[in-house]
């Protein structure tokens, strides 16, 4: 079955009568079945709070309309609260039927047996995955499907670039270095680039450091194992060191978090940042006078291969303990259909997990149109997806990078130390 074709799976089972019999016979008072015999599945996620009021509920209502007898109980909370809830549920065996997932959680949940093998479910239900843009796997099996993708391009402050004598966003590392130095030399409290390396929230390694590796075709892994001492990794970290030594990095990096980086850029104190496309609306609303552009991450001079671009996703998975796996997977199918996925991506200001879906904003917003072109011409990369203890891997990397930038060790020592720490986790 194509992901682009609408289909009512559960209404075509043994019929609503069969659903009623199952619900009456086997469902407890935990919400698995209602008094009218309908099946109810819980869907825990952080997406609804980040969308316009009522928008996600309307999409879910569309699923319920196409699948009579199946109700969806939306359990909505901010990202951090959802993370806490799911990790607690994983430990206690009380995961919701369907859940929003961050790729960095997947390995832990899969190894705990908390989330279902989606490869097996796709096979069982005859699902054609050819239109899925990506899948997050552990040991060769899919455990998460990215529903909406948020790329991390380069944001540049057009006014600061012009003031520094730079005509266009940089496309190579040397151009970026020159631009970052020129902006930093404007004086005042303005610097070229923001580099958040907080150990409390270490995702700056994923979002701000590793893009320099991936944009030029490099990798931090080899055959699924840490490979941090390869030439591409070394060159990228040496480049970050070069930016630091040139005074082109905003102060406070060692305690800076992602939200701090965005605030610095919004207020015009930083000329360039690598950040989520989801921040476009925030920038426009917070500082309507801010003139900025988005572009691909600069590459090494002379690079002509496939360029990678960091992305994060609203992923989705199914509980291994769900009493309603078919209904749960039917919800995933619905969200990944071409029309539904395009609608959800539009209201989320992200890019579809279905390769055939096109969000409406591509035609309405020039910035988003530029971003969509970047998305189509680069390869989405997030090598932390599905890794064990992904957040701890980022933290140990950030610890060693801080020591290097502080002058306590060189890049070779830093990568050797990080390689050893990562090998212990693997």
């Amino acid at each position: 079955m194509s992901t682009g074709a609408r289909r009512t799976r559960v209404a075509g089972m043994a019929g609503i009568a069969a659903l009623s019999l199952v619900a009456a016979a086997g469902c407890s008072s935990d919400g698995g079945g209602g008094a009218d015999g309908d099946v109810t599945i819980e869907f825990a996620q952080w997406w609804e709070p980040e969308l316009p009021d009522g928008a996600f509920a309307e999409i879910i209502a569309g699923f319920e309309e196409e699948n009579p007898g199946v109700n969806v109980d939306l359990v909505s909370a901010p990202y951090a609260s959802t993370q806490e809830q799911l990790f607690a549920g994983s430990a206690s065996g009380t995961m919701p039927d369907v859940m929003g997932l961050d790729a960095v959680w997947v390995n832990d949940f899969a190894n705990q047996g908390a989330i279902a093998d989606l490869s097996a479910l796709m096979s069982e239900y005859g699902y054609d995955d050819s239109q899925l843009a990506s899948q997050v796997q552990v040991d060769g099996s899919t455990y998460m499907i990215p529903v909406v993708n948020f790329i991390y391009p380069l944001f540049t402050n057009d006014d600061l670039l012009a003031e520094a004598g730079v005509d266009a966003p940089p496309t190579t590392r040397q151009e970026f270095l020159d631009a970052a130095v020129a902006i930093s030399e404007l004086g005042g409290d303005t610097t070229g680039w923001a580099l958040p390396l907080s150990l409390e929230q270490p995702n700056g390694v994923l979002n701000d450091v590793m893009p320099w590796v991936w944009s030029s075709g490099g990798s931090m892994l080899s055959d699924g194992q840490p490979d941090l001492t390869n030439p591409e990794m070394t060159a990228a970290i040496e480049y970050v060191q070069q930016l630091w030594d040139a005074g082109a990095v905003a102060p406070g990096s060692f305690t800076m978090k992602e939200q701090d980086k965005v605030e610095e850029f919004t207020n015009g104190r930083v000329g360039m940042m690598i950040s989520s496309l989801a921040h476009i609306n925030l920038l426009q609303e917070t500082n309507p006078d801010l003139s900025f552009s988005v572009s691909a991450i600069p590459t090494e001079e002379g690079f002509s291969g496939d360029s990678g671009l960091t992305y994060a996703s609203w992923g989705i998975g199914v509980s291994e303990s769900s009493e309603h796996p078919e209904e749960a997977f039917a919800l995933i199918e619905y969200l990944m259909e071409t029309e539904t996925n395009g609608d959800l991506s539009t209201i989320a200001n992200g890019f579809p997990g279905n390769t055939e879906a096109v969000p409406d904003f591509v035609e309405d917003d020039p910035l988003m149109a530029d971003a969509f072109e970047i998305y189509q011409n680069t390869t989405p990369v997030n090598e932390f997806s599905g890794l064990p203890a992904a957040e701890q891997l980022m933290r140990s990397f950030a610890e060693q990078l801080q020591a290097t930038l502080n002058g306590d060790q060189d890049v070779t020592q830093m990568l050797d130390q990080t390689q050893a720490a990562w090998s212990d986790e693997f």
Side-chain angles (χ1 to χ4, degrees):
M1 180 185 63
S2 169
T3 55
R6 288 193 176 275
R7 169 184 161 185
T8 305
R9 171 191 294 286
V10 295
M13 295 192 298
I16 299 303
L19 280 174
S20 300
L21 288 172
V22 171
C27 291
S28 64
S29 59
D30 63 358
D36 56 1
D38 289 354
V39 166
T40 298
I41 55 176
E42 278 192 343
F43 182 13
Q45 35 61 48
W46 67 94
W47 312 349
E48 187 175 32
E50 298 187 9
L51 295 171
D53 287 345
F56 195 51
E58 184 176 345
I59 286 178
I60 296 302
F63 167 78
E64 293 175 332
E65 182 178 352
E66 291 196 9
N67 294 273
V70 182
N71 302 315
V72 179
D73 179 13
L74 286 177
V75 182
S76 304
Y79 174 90
S81 299
T82 300
Q83 181 182 16
E84 291 175 2
Q85 174 197 347
L86 294 180
F87 273 87
S90 175
S92 62
T94 57
M95 295 284 263
D97 298 279
V98 184
M99 69 214 73
L101 291 173
D102 187 320
V104 300
W105 309 338
V106 171
N107 189 285
D108 290 340
F109 286 159
N111 287 326
Q112 291 167 9
I115 53 178
D117 180 342
L118 296 183
S119 294
L121 292 182
M122 286 189 279
S123 177
E124 180 177 353
Y125 301 134
Y127 181 73
D128 177 8
D129 65 353
S130 61
Q131 289 182 9
L132 299 182
S134 59
Q135 302 177 44
V136 176
Q137 299 188 330
V138 177
D139 296 331
S141 293
T142 297
Y143 287 89
M144 181 191 112
I145 294 174
V147 180
V148 180
N149 298 311
F150 300 93
I151 60 171
Y152 280 68
L154 177 66
F155 286 69
T156 50
N157 182 314
D158 296 336
D159 292 335
L160 285 180
L161 282 182
E163 189 178 348
V166 181
D167 298 329
T171 60
T172 68
R173 289 182 184 176
Q174 187 60 53
E175 289 178 0
F176 184 90
L177 174 63
D178 292 342
V181 170
I183 292 171
S184 299
E185 290 177 346
L186 291 174
D189 58 358
T190 302
T191 47
W193 180 45
L195 175 62
L197 290 176
S198 164
L199 300 183
E200 181 182 351
Q201 190 184 91
N203 59 349
V205 172
L206 163 63
N207 299 333
D208 302 270
V209 178
M210 291 306 301
W212 296 110
V213 179
W214 297 329
S215 66
S216 295
S219 175
M220 64 184 201
L221 302 174
S222 178
D223 295 325
Q225 296 297 310
D227 183 22
L228 300 178
T229 59
N230 66 64
E232 292 79 15
M233 281 290 304
T234 302
I237 303 307
E238 287 177 343
Y239 178 69
V240 172
Q241 175 85 64
Q242 188 177 7
L243 285 160
W244 182 273
D245 292 343
V249 178
S253 280
F254 292 177
T255 57
M256 182 181 288
K257 300 177 182 179
E258 182 173 21
Q259 60 265 34
D260 303 321
K261 168 187 71 178
V262 176
E263 182 179 343
E264 291 294 287
F265 185 85
T266 303
N267 293 329
R269 291 191 290 268
V270 166
M272 298 181 287
M273 70 171 180
I274 301 171
S275 197
S276 169
L277 199 62
H279 291 142
I280 282 183
N281 282 347
L282 176 64
L283 295 173
Q284 292 172 331
E285 292 171 3
T286 306
N287 186 357
D289 297 327
L290 183 66
S291 176
F292 65 95
S293 301
V294 295
S295 55
I297 305 301
T299 62
E300 285 189 291
E301 279 63 28
F303 177 76
S304 59
D306 293 331
S307 184
L309 188 69
T310 306
Y311 80 101
S313 301
W314 286 357
I316 197 166
V318 173
S319 170
E320 176 64 28
S321 60
S322 173
E323 296 181 0
H324 309 291
E326 186 162 12
E327 291 85 353
F329 191 77
L331 178 58
I332 292 180
E333 286 188 83
Y334 178 79
L335 293 175
M336 296 311 299
E337 289 171 355
T338 303
E339 182 179 346
T340 308
N341 199 243
D343 291 344
L344 180 56
S345 299
T346 296
I347 61 175
N349 290 315
F351 293 127
N354 181 318
T355 58
E356 298 299 316
V358 178
D360 294 342
F361 57 64
V362 171
E363 298 179 358
D364 301 332
D365 188 328
L367 271 174
M368 295 302 291
D370 290 344
F372 191 57
E373 183 176 356
I374 296 169
Y375 178 69
Q376 290 179 310
N377 293 324
T378 54
T379 301
V381 182
N382 183 342
E383 288 190 303
F384 286 98
S385 295
L387 292 188
E391 187 169 289
Q392 180 55 37
L393 297 180
M394 297 179 203
R395 183 171 291 107
S396 60
F397 193 108
E399 288 173 344
Q400 295 299 326
L401 181 54
Q402 284 193 15
T404 302
L405 298 178
N406 206 38
D408 298 331
Q409 61 186 359
D410 60 28
V411 170
T412 298
Q413 291 170 321
M414 175 241 160
L415 293 174
D416 285 340
Q417 293 281 356
T418 311
Q419 173 79 18
W422 281 28
S423 296
D424 291 341
E425 295 291 347
F426 276 68

